[in-house]
Amino acid sequence: MKKFFYLVISLIVLSSCSEYQKVLKASGEGATKEKFTLGESLYNEGKYAKANRLFGQIVPEYRGKPQAQKLMYLYAMTFYKMKDYYISAYRFEQFTKSYPKSEKLEETAFLSARSYYMLSPVYTKDQTETKDAVEKIQGFINMFPDSEYLEEANKLVKELEYKLEQKAFHIAKQYFEIAPGFTRDYTSAIKSFDNFLFDFPGSKLREEALFYRLDASYKQAVNSYERITSREEGIVQLRKQRLETTKEYSDSFLQSYKESKYLEDVNEIAKVVDEELKKYSEKS
C-alpha cells in the first residue's frame, strides 16, 4: 500500500514537471495566456521561481493590456519572495510609477521600500545602501502617513538609523585600535566622537561616546610634549590647553551620567587632570 502511495505521488510530480516544461517551451497562439494561468497557479502554490520564469516570458506580450497590472504585481512579488531584493525594489518602484491609481499602490510602495531595507548590510560595512533605505522608507511614510504599514515602517527606519549610529561610532572607536606599525590617533578620535555626538544627539551610544572622547582627550593631554603654539591671542601651553579641555569633558560627563558604569574611570581621570593643572597654577 505504501509503495502504491509513493508511486502515485511520483506520477503526479512527473506529470506536473512535464506540464510545466511543456508550457514553458510553448509558443504561438494561446501560449501566452496559458503561461499566465499556470504561472499564477504556481505562484499561489509557493513555487515562485517557476512562476517567475513563466511571467518573465510574457511580460512584453501584456504591455498595454488590462491584465498587465496583475501580471506586473505578481512578477514583482516573485522576486521579493525569492529574496532577490535588488530586482524586487526596482520592479515594485516601476509598478507604483506605472499604476499610480492601483489598489496595490500602498502595498507595492511599502514592499519597494522594504526591499531596500533588506539590502542594508551589517554596520561594519559601507552604509550607502542603508542611507538609501532610510530615504526610501521615509519617502513612503511621507506619502502614506496613515498607512497600515506605518508602524512597521517607523520600526525599520529606527533600525536603520541605529545601524548608521553604530557605523559612525565604530569608525571613531577604531582610532583607539592599535595595528602593527600604527599608533592611536587621538586627535581624529576626538573629532570623530564630536561629529558623532552632534549627528546623533539622542543616541543610545551617547554615554559611551562621551567616555571615549574623554579618554582620548586625557591620553592625548598627558602624552603631550611641553611646547608652545603661537596664536593671535598670545602664547598658549599646548599640554595645559589639552588638560583644560579634558577637564571640561570630565565635568560634562559627570553632570550627565552620575551613575555611569564608567564613573570610577572618569573620577580617576578628573583627579589626575586636577593635579596636573594645579602644577601650572603653582608655577605662575
Side-chain angles (χ1 to χ4, degrees), residues 32-42 54-55 58 62:
T32 300
K33 184 177 180 181
E34 196 174 5
K35 289 179 181 182
F36 195 153
T37 301
L38 180 58
E40 186 177 2
S41 177
L42 290 168
L54 289 170
F55 291 150
I58 62 175
Y62 274 89

Side-chain angles (χ1 to χ4, degrees), residues 133-194:
V134 170
E135 182 181 335
K136 296 294 182 180
I137 298 174
Q138 194 59 58
F140 169 81
I141 292 171
N142 294 340
M143 186 178 292
F144 301 98
D146 299 316
S147 172
E148 64 179 289
Y149 304 107
L150 186 61
E151 184 177 348
E152 184 178 357
N154 283 323
K155 180 181 177 183
L156 297 181
V157 168
K158 286 182 180 179
E159 287 181 22
L160 293 168
E161 288 181 339
Y162 183 60
K163 194 179 289 187
L164 293 176
E165 290 178 27
Q166 287 179 298
K167 178 64 175 182
F169 182 84
H170 177 71
I171 290 171
K173 195 175 177 182
Q174 275 188 319
Y175 291 111
F176 284 95
E177 303 296 329
I178 300 179
F182 294 89
T183 57
R184 291 185 176 97
D185 186 347
Y186 296 124
T187 299
S188 295
I190 294 166
K191 183 178 179 180
S192 293
F193 281 121
D194 275 338

Side-chain angles (χ1 to χ4, degrees), residues 83-112:
K83 300 182 180 181
D84 192 341
Y85 298 116
Y86 280 106
I87 299 181
S88 68
Y90 169 77
R91 287 291 175 183
F92 283 128
E93 208 161 42
Q94 288 300 106
F95 183 94
T96 61
K97 291 176 182 178
S98 300
Y99 307 104
K101 296 182 179 180
S102 172
E103 62 178 17
K104 298 287 188 181
L105 182 65
E106 184 178 324
E107 179 189 1
T108 52
F110 175 70
L111 291 177
S112 177

Side-chain angles (χ1 to χ4, degrees), residues 12 26 60-61 77 116 138 149 157 162 179 188 213 224 231 233 239 244-245 255 260 268 272:
I12 292 173
E61 305 297 326
M77 284 296 294
Y116 280 98
Q138 194 59 58
Y149 304 107
V157 168
Y162 183 60
S188 295
R213 183 183 68 169
S224 294
R231 292 187 175 181
E233 63 269 22
R239 190 169 187 273
E244 288 172 342
T245 298
Q255 286 175 4
S260 171
E268 181 60 30
V272 173

Side-chain angles (χ1 to χ4, degrees), residues 264-277:
E264 186 176 341
D265 291 327
V266 174
N267 282 328
E268 181 60 30
I269 289 172
K271 180 181 177 182
V272 173
V273 168
D274 284 341
E275 289 173 354
E276 290 297 314
L277 286 173

